[in-house]
Amino acid sequence: MTDNNKIKIGLFGFGTVGQGVWKVLRQAKNAHAEIRRICVRDITKPRATAVPEGMLTDNAEDIFGDKEINLVVELVDDAEASFRIVSTALRHGIPVVSGSKAMIAKHLPELIELQRENDTALLYDASSCGSIPVIRNLEEYYDNDLLLEVKGILNGSSNYILSRVFDHGEDYDSALRRAQELGFAESDPSFDIEGYDSLFKLIIITVHALGRFVAADEIFTVGISHIADCDIRYAREKDKKIKLVAQVVKTAPEAFTMFVMPELVDRSKYIYSVDDEYNGVVIRGECYDRQFMFGKGAGGLPTASSILSDIMARRHDYRYEYKKMSYLNRPYYTTDVTLRVYIRYNRTPVPELLIFNQIHEQLLTPGNKYIIGDINLNELIANRDIFNAPDVFIANIPIFFIDRD
Ligand code: HSE
């Protein structure tokens, strides 16, 4: 192999994942890839990983102006800065590997256009589910009309917190602090616990699953921050766990829906056993029923292993073709679907504020009130402010495909 076909990387960002990439490239002797320069915001900031003198720069031109660099790896925390870097690289015709899910979920249509206009590639398997190769599999193996549902635990931090609280009786705040110390959480951990990180990943997954881009504000998203002991007790009594679940589901041959919500997960489900910072993705389709992908969804080295895989894919000029986006019969997005939910509340008069299609169970004790009922997703979306009230917690009770498990 000559030096000419060596991958020479300009790396943007040297945080948890950036340093992980530095380490995995040292282990991957056959990668034939090297980091030439690392661009960071603050060169003087102390970092756990030592790099050779002159490797760090705070000037992006040291990367874009270096004719030797033939791949940009972008791992910057700030979504707008990351979009500027990625779009500049693509305009220079330099392929990019990125892990920036918030940025990609917001700008994906423009990024697809930029790849086409500049005849170059953007790969981002690391953006969704850390080490699990979900994007490339959806793009290549599930490249057909059989897919019915992609559903799972897409956020390691919230799953870590729920596991510690649920299985180890720890308190919520110390579990969150630990998720931050372990490098799982976002710099703003509300993205993890309020469901936005899962939402961004779901948006990206849906483009590769069904060929449709749906903007974040059109998708019902609720996280885990309002969970209380009574919810955990309720789940335990029913022999279930509460997990933060993101899902995109075909509700009819021509329609699909998607949402992010805590879910009461039955022991019989694959994701019941997905604990700590692990992620688990269930892919359901006609003919093959269910398949399950499991792996570490957060942390420097697991995410860096996915970056390495994309770097290696560029050795073979791999790029996403977004084939499903040009299918003639793409399903349309609908929120006109019935869900079954558990809503626990206290002061907020939930039964007066929400119209249920049917109520299955209701408890009205002074300290603990809940409703289990069927409700239209549009009703939840129209009243989404209710779920900002700290005394209100909602969890989905799955009803799609229930007779097919
Ligand atoms: N904060 C994210 C998580 C990191 O906890 O899953 C990986 O995307």
Side-chain angles (χ1 to χ4, degrees):
M1 193 169 283
T2 67
D3 201 47
N4 286 344
N5 50 27
K6 187 166 194 166
I7 295 185
K8 294 175 186 161
I9 297 167
L11 173 62
F12 284 89
F14 204 50
T16 309
V17 182
Q19 293 178 47
V21 171
W22 178 268
K23 287 177 198 143
V24 297
L25 277 173
R26 252 139 209 81
Q27 284 179 35
K29 305 281 182 238
N30 289 304
H32 208 57
E34 66 170 23
I35 295 175
R36 262 180 80 86
R37 214 72 198 275
I38 305 170
C39 185
V40 292
R41 211 170 27 199
D42 178 5
I43 311 183
T44 60
K45 186 172 154 186
R47 292 178 172 87
T49 307
V51 294
E53 186 77 30
M55 177 62 74
L56 294 181
T57 175
D58 55 8
N59 183 359
E61 273 316 301
D62 287 342
I63 288 181
F64 293 129
D66 183 340
K67 297 281 169 269
E68 290 282 301
I69 286 176
N70 51 20
L71 183 71
V72 160
V73 174
E74 181 279 313
L75 298 165
V76 169
D77 201 21
D78 169 321
E80 288 317 306
S82 117
F83 180 63
R84 278 196 301 278
I85 293 162
V86 171
S87 51
T88 305
L90 295 175
R91 284 199 182 93
H92 279 72
I94 308 171
V96 181
V97 171
S98 170
S100 300
K101 56 245 155 154
M103 180 279 286
I104 295 166
K106 183 167 175 197
H107 293 287
L108 197 43
E110 291 161 85
L111 292 168
I112 294 171
E113 212 35 56
L114 277 170
Q115 292 175 72
R116 285 197 182 119
E117 280 167 8
N118 297 284
D119 189 23
T120 189
L122 169 65
L123 302 183
Y124 42 80
D125 225 313
S127 69
S128 303
C129 306
S131 65
I132 308 178
V134 64
I135 302 296
R136 209 175 320 154
N137 273 297
L138 287 170
E139 181 71 13
E140 302 303 334
Y141 180 83
Y142 298 96
D143 175 25
N144 52 55
D145 292 320
L146 300 183
L147 208 71
L148 291 173
E149 176 186 54
V150 182
K151 163 174 183 173
I153 296 168
L154 311 185
N155 179 263
S157 304
S158 56
N159 202 44
Y160 179 85
I161 295 166
L162 288 172
S163 297
R164 302 314 294 178
V165 171
F166 219 92
D167 299 332
H168 302 271
E170 284 179 25
D171 72 276
Y172 182 96
D173 290 334
S174 54
L176 169 58
R177 265 197 308 281
R178 190 83 188 113
Q180 289 177 288
E181 284 160 14
L182 290 167
F184 305 151
E186 299 301 298
S187 53
D188 176 355
S190 67
F191 278 91
D192 297 294
I193 60 181
E194 303 301 356
Y196 296 109
D197 183 78
S198 303
L199 169 69
F200 299 145
K201 292 165 180 170
L202 184 66
I203 291 171
I204 298 168
I205 282 172
T206 300
V207 166
H208 293 275
L210 298 177
R212 286 283 186 194
F213 173 80
V214 183
D217 58 6
E218 293 181 54
I219 303 165
F220 186 68
T221 302
V222 179
I224 60 164
S225 63
H226 300 170
I227 196 168
D229 288 347
C230 54
D231 306 313
I232 294 170
R233 266 199 313 277
Y234 176 85
R236 281 210 184 105
E237 276 163 20
K238 306 280 177 195
D239 199 24
K240 294 180 194 295
K241 281 187 187 174
I242 297 172
K243 299 281 188 189
L244 182 59
V245 175
Q247 53 201 296
V248 51
V249 186
K250 276 193 65 189
T251 53
E254 68 290 346
F256 72 97
T257 195
M258 59 203 286
F259 51 91
V260 178
M261 239 195 282
E263 180 159 313
L264 284 157
V265 180
D266 194 81
R267 194 179 274 278
S268 64
K269 304 294 173 197
Y270 292 125
I271 55 173
Y272 183 92
S273 319
V274 176
D275 287 324
D276 299 321
E277 78 274 27
Y278 283 85
N279 285 186
V281 184
V282 178
I283 297 178
R284 184 190 294 273
E286 299 288 0
C287 308
Y288 51 78
D289 191 14
R290 287 176 300 159
Q291 297 172 340
F292 182 53
M293 297 170 93
F294 170 79
K296 285 202 170 176
L301 290 175
T303 310
S305 71
S306 187
I307 296 281
L308 174 67
S309 182
D310 277 350
I311 292 171
M312 299 295 283
R314 282 305 304 159
R315 295 204 59 75
H316 309 285
D317 294 325
Y318 178 72
R319 62 171 68 183
Y320 306 135
E321 289 177 55
Y322 302 98
K323 292 174 282 243
K324 290 175 200 164
M325 293 193 103
S326 48
Y327 281 3
L328 286 178
N329 294 310
R330 285 183 301 163
Y332 66 84
Y333 176 53
T334 181
T335 46
D336 184 13
V337 292
T338 299
L339 304 184
R340 184 162 302 162
V341 291
Y342 158 94
I343 303 181
R344 190 263 309 144
Y345 58 98
N346 196 343
R347 288 175 306 283
T348 307
V350 168
E352 291 163 33
L353 299 173
L354 288 177
I355 299 169
F356 285 82
N357 302 349
Q358 195 181 346
I359 291 182
H360 298 285
E361 200 178 317
Q362 196 162 10
L363 181 76
L364 290 170
T365 59
N368 187 9
K369 305 184 181 77
Y370 68 76
I371 293 187
I372 291 176
D374 293 350
I375 192 164
N376 193 289
L377 180 55
N378 280 330
E379 177 70 3
L380 294 176
I381 291 172
N383 294 286
R384 53 175 28 148
D385 286 353
I386 293 175
F387 302 99
N388 294 332
D391 66 308
V392 179
F393 177 75
I394 181 168
N396 181 49
I397 299 175
I399 49 175
F400 300 127
F401 304 116
I402 213 77
D403 52 341
R404 296 181 56 159
D405 284 348

